[in-house]
Amino acid sequence: MKRTIFFLYFSVFALLTAFSGTISRNKAYQDYFNTYKDIAISQMHEYGIPASITLAQGVLESGAGMSELARKSNNHFGIKCSNGWSGRRVYHDDDIRNDCFRAYNNVSESYLDHALFLKNSQRYASLFKLKPTDYKGWAKGLKACGYATSPTYAHRLIEIIELYELDQYDKGTGWSVRRGGSSSWNQSSQRQIIEFNHNYYVVAREGDTFRSIANDVHVSYRHLAKFNERDKDAVLEAGEYVWLKKKRRKAPKEYKGYVYRVAAGESMYSIAQRFGIRVKYLYKMNDLQPDYVIRVGDPLRLR
């Protein structure tokens, strides 16, 4: 993803700042991270890509959402029309004149496509063997695998992650709650609490029950079961999201206009859990009856 002029600018910037002390934070960058960190964290748990890497790539490739490709086509990762892309297309000068780039209906689609682009490509398979906290390995691996041609690409990603402390989103530090959320939970626990959709969730471990999680979060296990629309004695599967408060009626505003396509093995309940939505409202906003059985490829509105 060569951005000749873009990276030339940052190369000059880096030289200038080398003589003027520590690089200061950019408000546009920080605003970008505040806007999209919840999506990046959620997709980290879904696909295994460090949230710090997703955010750093997004802000760098899109110029903090201000590039022409980002503003007009919602493409925040510079992904081109390859690998059988059948969606909307736009054309910009890049490696070649009038290079073809993917276009999306909204930014959420761009973030999802970025995750699938990396996850489903054999080119990047080696990255998923790295520890989820190894953002330096991911940054260097992306460059080595050919995501970008700039020789400073990995360095820029690492620099952004460390300057804005984005690696905090890749790992739990006790009961760390994003955006300084509730501090009423047990600070000695090693579970990670993640904020999403004006709510908080933890990821279930092998053998977890609502009782075992309740012991950690100091919330009634009966309440946890009710919040998650399950039987109080249910055994949870590893990787399930367990919401700590009552779920919402719809997904975050970033998902406005986004069309979710049902994948194999999914149910209305599993999709509702993933996005922190109460099941009955997921049916309602899609004009579906409660007895409707979804099929692979079905389109669903989340907001």
Side-chain angles (χ1 to χ4, degrees):
M1 313 292 177
K2 184 171 69 177
R3 306 286 184 276
T4 305
I5 297 177
F6 186 73
F7 285 113
L8 178 60
Y9 166 81
F10 276 110
S11 296
V12 173
F13 181 71
L15 287 173
L16 291 175
T17 54
F19 298 99
S20 59
T22 304
I23 302 174
S24 60
R25 291 193 178 191
N26 181 307
K27 184 179 184 301
Y29 274 36
Q30 189 61 62
D31 288 345
Y32 183 93
F33 300 139
N34 291 341
T35 299
Y36 299 114
K37 62 183 179 182
D38 287 345
I39 296 178
I41 292 168
S42 178
Q43 292 192 345
M44 174 179 67
H45 289 285
E46 188 74 16
Y47 300 104
I49 303 164
S52 63
I53 287 292
T54 297
L55 290 169
Q57 281 195 284
V59 80
L60 185 59
E61 293 283 350
S62 72
M66 297 303 294
S67 71
E68 182 179 3
L69 190 62
R71 287 184 292 106
K72 294 185 177 180
S73 306
N74 292 309
N75 188 331
H76 279 227
F77 297 93
I79 299 179
K80 297 182 179 179
C81 306
S82 58
N83 299 332
W85 175 250
S86 59
R88 203 156 53 88
R89 300 167 178 234
V90 293
Y91 297 87
H92 291 270
D93 293 347
D94 191 61
D95 291 333
I96 60 175
R97 186 174 178 80
N98 284 327
D99 225 345
C100 182
F101 289 86
R102 303 182 183 189
Y104 309 96
N105 294 321
N106 51 61
V107 179
S108 296
E109 286 188 6
S110 179
Y111 267 71
L112 177 60
D113 192 47
H114 169 260
L116 295 174
F117 178 79
L118 296 179
K119 187 70 173 179
N120 296 334
S121 174
Q122 189 59 38
R123 172 188 286 188
Y124 303 106
S126 61
L127 298 181
F128 292 89
K129 299 177 182 179
L130 298 173
K131 293 181 179 179
T133 54
D134 187 7
Y135 64 86
K136 291 183 179 179
W138 269 84
K140 295 173 183 177
L142 284 166
K143 173 64 182 73
C145 292
Y147 192 98
T149 56
S150 168
T152 62
Y153 191 75
H155 172 75
R156 286 295 298 138
L157 293 181
I158 294 170
E159 182 179 59
I160 290 169
I161 290 170
E162 294 181 346
L163 178 62
Y164 293 89
E165 301 178 345
L166 300 182
D167 58 316
Q168 67 180 295
Y169 304 127
D170 299 339
K171 57 192 176 184
T173 53
W175 281 94
S176 58
V177 180
R178 306 310 178 198
R179 290 195 292 210
S182 172
S183 60
S184 62
W185 287 302
N186 180 9
Q187 297 296 318
S188 65
S189 174
Q190 292 305 304
R191 289 186 188 268
Q192 179 185 15
I193 293 179
I194 301 157
E195 181 181 359
F196 182 73
N197 201 11
H198 302 288
N199 202 341
Y200 305 96
Y201 70 86
V202 299
V203 179
R205 302 164 179 164
E206 189 70 35
D208 259 340
T209 64
F210 288 119
R211 288 176 185 268
S212 65
I213 294 174
N215 288 335
D216 284 338
V217 300
H218 291 187
V219 174
S220 163
Y221 79 94
R222 293 176 184 270
H223 286 163
L224 284 182
K226 186 175 181 179
F227 296 155
N228 290 274
E229 304 177 275
R230 296 281 291 279
D231 182 85
K232 66 182 186 302
D233 296 317
V235 176
L236 306 173
E237 294 184 9
E240 279 193 66
Y241 290 5
V242 177
W243 296 92
L244 306 185
K245 300 197 309 183
K246 189 175 183 178
K247 292 185 292 179
R248 310 287 291 184
R249 296 188 177 194
K250 51 191 175 183
K253 62 182 180 180
E254 291 86 1
Y255 287 86
K256 185 177 181 179
Y258 176 65
V259 177
Y260 183 84
R261 298 284 176 178
V262 177
E266 289 187 312
S267 65
M268 289 292 276
Y269 177 77
S270 68
I271 295 169
Q273 281 296 101
R274 176 178 171 185
F275 293 98
I277 306 169
R278 279 172 270 169
V279 176
K280 69 177 182 179
Y281 289 109
L282 185 58
Y283 277 102
K284 185 175 181 179
M285 77 176 79
N286 286 282
D287 298 319
L288 298 175
Q289 295 299 316
D291 59 350
Y292 178 77
V293 179
I294 58 174
R295 296 166 294 186
V296 173
D298 274 355
L300 292 177
R301 292 173 53 208
L302 301 175
R303 185 178 176 86

